[in-house]
PDB file of all heavy atoms in Angstrom:
ATOM      1  N   MET A  61      -0.382   4.718   2.432  1.00  0.00           N
ATOM      2  CA  MET A  61      -1.395   4.459   1.397  1.00  0.00           C
ATOM      3  C   MET A  61      -0.937   4.972   0.044  1.00  0.00           C
ATOM      4  O   MET A  61      -1.115   4.299  -0.986  1.00  0.00           O
ATOM      5  CB  MET A  61      -2.730   5.094   1.796  1.00  0.00           C
ATOM      6  CG  MET A  61      -3.429   4.366   2.922  1.00  0.00           C
ATOM      7  SD  MET A  61      -5.065   5.036   3.275  1.00  0.00           S
ATOM      8  CE  MET A  61      -4.658   6.369   4.393  1.00  0.00           C
ATOM      9  N   VAL A  62      -0.343   6.159   0.012  1.00  0.00           N
ATOM     10  CA  VAL A  62       0.146   6.717  -1.254  1.00  0.00           C
ATOM     11  C   VAL A  62       1.256   5.854  -1.826  1.00  0.00           C
ATOM     12  O   VAL A  62       1.272   5.563  -3.042  1.00  0.00           O
ATOM     13  CB  VAL A  62       0.641   8.176  -1.051  1.00  0.00           C
ATOM     14  CG1 VAL A  62       1.398   8.676  -2.261  1.00  0.00           C
ATOM     15  CG2 VAL A  62      -0.534   9.093  -0.749  1.00  0.00           C
ATOM     16  N   ILE A  63       2.150   5.381  -0.983  1.00  0.00           N
ATOM     17  CA  ILE A  63       3.227   4.519  -1.447  1.00  0.00           C
ATOM     18  C   ILE A  63       2.673   3.207  -2.009  1.00  0.00           C
ATOM     19  O   ILE A  63       3.102   2.749  -3.074  1.00  0.00           O
ATOM     20  CB  ILE A  63       4.245   4.250  -0.319  1.00  0.00           C
ATOM     21  CG1 ILE A  63       5.048   5.519  -0.027  1.00  0.00           C
ATOM     22  CG2 ILE A  63       5.181   3.097  -0.676  1.00  0.00           C
ATOM     23  CD1 ILE A  63       5.926   5.408   1.216  1.00  0.00           C
ATOM     24  N   MET A  64       1.717   2.608  -1.324  1.00  0.00           N
ATOM     25  CA  MET A  64       1.166   1.340  -1.807  1.00  0.00           C
ATOM     26  C   MET A  64       0.396   1.515  -3.109  1.00  0.00           C
ATOM     27  O   MET A  64       0.472   0.665  -3.998  1.00  0.00           O
ATOM     28  CB  MET A  64       0.261   0.708  -0.737  1.00  0.00           C
ATOM     29  CG  MET A  64       1.026   0.115   0.418  1.00  0.00           C
ATOM     30  SD  MET A  64       2.207  -1.129  -0.097  1.00  0.00           S
ATOM     31  CE  MET A  64       3.742  -0.299   0.148  1.00  0.00           C
ATOM     32  N   LEU A  65      -0.333   2.636  -3.248  1.00  0.00           N
ATOM     33  CA  LEU A  65      -0.999   2.899  -4.534  1.00  0.00           C
ATOM     34  C   LEU A  65       0.022   3.083  -5.649  1.00  0.00           C
ATOM     35  O   LEU A  65      -0.167   2.589  -6.765  1.00  0.00           O
ATOM     36  CB  LEU A  65      -1.898   4.121  -4.417  1.00  0.00           C
ATOM     37  CG  LEU A  65      -3.211   3.917  -3.682  1.00  0.00           C
ATOM     38  CD1 LEU A  65      -3.946   5.242  -3.514  1.00  0.00           C
ATOM     39  CD2 LEU A  65      -4.085   2.924  -4.420  1.00  0.00           C
ATOM     40  N   SER A  66       1.117   3.761  -5.345  1.00  0.00           N
ATOM     41  CA  SER A  66       2.168   3.959  -6.340  1.00  0.00           C
ATOM     42  C   SER A  66       2.827   2.647  -6.716  1.00  0.00           C
ATOM     43  O   SER A  66       3.075   2.383  -7.912  1.00  0.00           O
ATOM     44  CB  SER A  66       3.222   4.930  -5.812  1.00  0.00           C
ATOM     45  OG  SER A  66       2.653   6.169  -5.507  1.00  0.00           O
ATOM     46  N   VAL A  67       3.110   1.818  -5.729  1.00  0.00           N
ATOM     47  CA  VAL A  67       3.710   0.506  -6.003  1.00  0.00           C
ATOM     48  C   VAL A  67       2.767  -0.349  -6.854  1.00  0.00           C
ATOM     49  O   VAL A  67       3.208  -1.016  -7.791  1.00  0.00           O
ATOM     50  CB  VAL A  67       4.078  -0.213  -4.682  1.00  0.00           C
ATOM     51  CG1 VAL A  67       4.409  -1.670  -4.908  1.00  0.00           C
ATOM     52  CG2 VAL A  67       5.222   0.492  -4.002  1.00  0.00           C
ATOM     53  N   PHE A  68       1.485  -0.306  -6.539  1.00  0.00           N
ATOM     54  CA  PHE A  68       0.515  -1.061  -7.321  1.00  0.00           C
ATOM     55  C   PHE A  68       0.502  -0.596  -8.781  1.00  0.00           C
ATOM     56  O   PHE A  68       0.525  -1.424  -9.692  1.00  0.00           O
ATOM     57  CB  PHE A  68      -0.877  -0.907  -6.699  1.00  0.00           C
ATOM     58  CG  PHE A  68      -1.954  -1.670  -7.401  1.00  0.00           C
ATOM     59  CD1 PHE A  68      -2.032  -3.048  -7.272  1.00  0.00           C
ATOM     60  CD2 PHE A  68      -2.887  -1.028  -8.193  1.00  0.00           C
ATOM     61  CE1 PHE A  68      -3.017  -3.771  -7.928  1.00  0.00           C
ATOM     62  CE2 PHE A  68      -3.870  -1.740  -8.843  1.00  0.00           C
ATOM     63  CZ  PHE A  68      -3.930  -3.109  -8.705  1.00  0.00           C
ATOM     64  N   ALA A  69       0.518   0.711  -8.994  1.00  0.00           N
ATOM     65  CA  ALA A  69       0.505   1.243 -10.351  1.00  0.00           C
ATOM     66  C   ALA A  69       1.799   0.896 -11.095  1.00  0.00           C
ATOM     67  O   ALA A  69       1.771   0.496 -12.263  1.00  0.00           O
ATOM     68  CB  ALA A  69       0.309   2.765 -10.323  1.00  0.00           C
ATOM     69  N   ILE A  70       2.930   1.022 -10.417  1.00  0.00           N
ATOM     70  CA  ILE A  70       4.214   0.711 -11.049  1.00  0.00           C
ATOM     71  C   ILE A  70       4.304  -0.778 -11.381  1.00  0.00           C
ATOM     72  O   ILE A  70       4.765  -1.151 -12.480  1.00  0.00           O
ATOM     73  CB  ILE A  70       5.371   1.147 -10.140  1.00  0.00           C
ATOM     74  CG1 ILE A  70       5.432   2.676 -10.079  1.00  0.00           C
ATOM     75  CG2 ILE A  70       6.701   0.573 -10.622  1.00  0.00           C
ATOM     76  CD1 ILE A  70       6.356   3.215  -9.010  1.00  0.00           C
TER      77      ILE A  70
END
Side-chain angles (χ1 to χ4, degrees):
M61 287 185 275
V62 169
I63 289 171
M64 287 302 108
L65 284 174
S66 301
V67 167
F68 182 74
I70 290 168

